[in-house]
Amino acid sequence: MLDIKITNAKTRNTGKELVEIGIENGKITAIASAVEGEAKQVIDAKGNYVVPGFIDVHTHGGAGVDVNAADQQGFEKIGHFFATQGTTSWLSSILTDSKEQTLKTIKEAVKHQEAQKDGHENCADLLGIHLEGPFLSPEYKGAMPEHLLISPDLELLKEYQEAAGGNIRYITVSPEVKGVPEAIKGMIDLGMKVAIGHSGADYETAWKCIN
């Protein structure tokens, strides 16, 4: 018996044709005009497209909750909201903040990650943390508080990563900030992917970081 059968569905591969989708053990096992077998649960897609869950790797909150100010319950509220919009997993983006507030936010995110191990219905999974800064260009700071933007500090990043239990997945930096190109390897060694952002770096400077 199938776990789930989705009826009256459109998919990217089948275009406007309505199909049925069979799911067992969390995996799609059949897509056909009529999927054989009974199912424990039948969902009528009512002619809508069925797509894979979206993964949001850069978001600062939702449903009126700001990641930087969120407690564990706030992270849960964000996750529930994202699930209603088709996002099934996400990274919480912490924008440049004081050391104290950044550590507080990291710890609340970790609490939420620990809580979701026990299962949570209709809530997008928090996969980890994205740090937006603080090694960013003041010229392209956007919403970042300029007085908190600094040159790379790997000891600070190590403290953040230890507080996160290794769950800081990636960090956004500006290549033109003094010391950033030399610090990239250290960031990678701490388990972080490194992305370019808030930057006006020229081609050569950007490639120095990429390479």
Side-chain angles (χ1 to χ4, degrees):
M1 176 179 282
L2 296 169
D3 293 323
I4 301 172
K5 182 188 287 187
I6 302 174
T7 62
N8 298 313
K10 295 176 185 175
T11 73
R12 180 177 176 275
N13 293 334
T14 56
K16 294 183 178 180
E17 177 190 355
L18 293 180
V19 297
E20 293 184 349
I21 302 170
I23 300 173
E24 293 182 81
N25 298 318
K27 294 184 178 181
I28 293 174
T29 56
I31 299 177
S33 55
V35 173
E36 296 182 1
E38 298 296 316
K40 298 174 185 175
Q41 180 183 9
V42 177
I43 300 172
D44 186 350
K46 300 179 180 179
N48 290 305
Y49 279 94
V50 175
V51 298
F54 299 114
I55 302 174
D56 194 338
V57 299
H58 186 155
T59 181
H60 293 284
V65 181
D66 181 343
V67 163
N68 277 57
D71 56 12
Q72 181 185 343
Q73 289 70 33
F75 279 102
E76 188 80 12
K77 186 175 181 180
I78 295 170
H80 279 292
F81 171 70
F82 285 164
T84 68
Q85 308 302 306
T87 295
T88 54
S89 53
W90 63 295
L91 296 180
S92 59
S93 296
I94 302 176
L95 60 76
T96 300
D97 211 325
S98 67
K99 176 181 176 179
E100 293 73 21
Q101 187 61 35
T102 299
L103 284 169
K104 181 177 184 295
T105 305
I106 288 170
K107 289 172 182 176
E108 292 297 328
V110 171
K111 283 182 189 177
H112 176 61
Q113 281 193 292
E114 289 298 317
Q116 71 186 15
K117 289 179 180 178
D118 296 326
H120 55 179
E121 294 185 1
N122 302 318
C123 188
D125 289 329
L126 180 60
L127 299 179
I129 295 165
H130 160 227
L131 290 182
E132 192 170 14
F135 317 134
L136 300 174
S137 168
E139 187 177 355
Y140 298 92
K141 65 181 183 296
M144 306 298 156
E146 186 170 345
H147 69 285
L148 294 176
L149 300 177
I150 60 175
S151 297
D153 183 340
L154 291 178
E155 285 302 313
L156 177 64
L157 272 192
K158 183 179 179 182
E159 184 175 353
Y160 287 165
Q161 187 66 297
E162 288 176 351
N167 280 308
I168 298 175
R169 303 300 185 187
Y170 91 98
I171 180 171
T172 299
V173 302
S174 301
E176 68 270 35
V177 171
K178 184 178 180 181
V180 163
E182 295 76 16
I184 298 291
K185 185 180 183 303
M187 297 175 194
I188 294 170
D189 289 344
L190 286 171
M192 303 176 193
K193 301 293 185 183
V194 185
I196 294 173
H198 293 270
S199 172
D202 59 26
Y203 182 86
E204 289 76 16
T205 304
W207 266 111
K208 186 177 181 181
C209 288
I210 293 167
N211 289 328

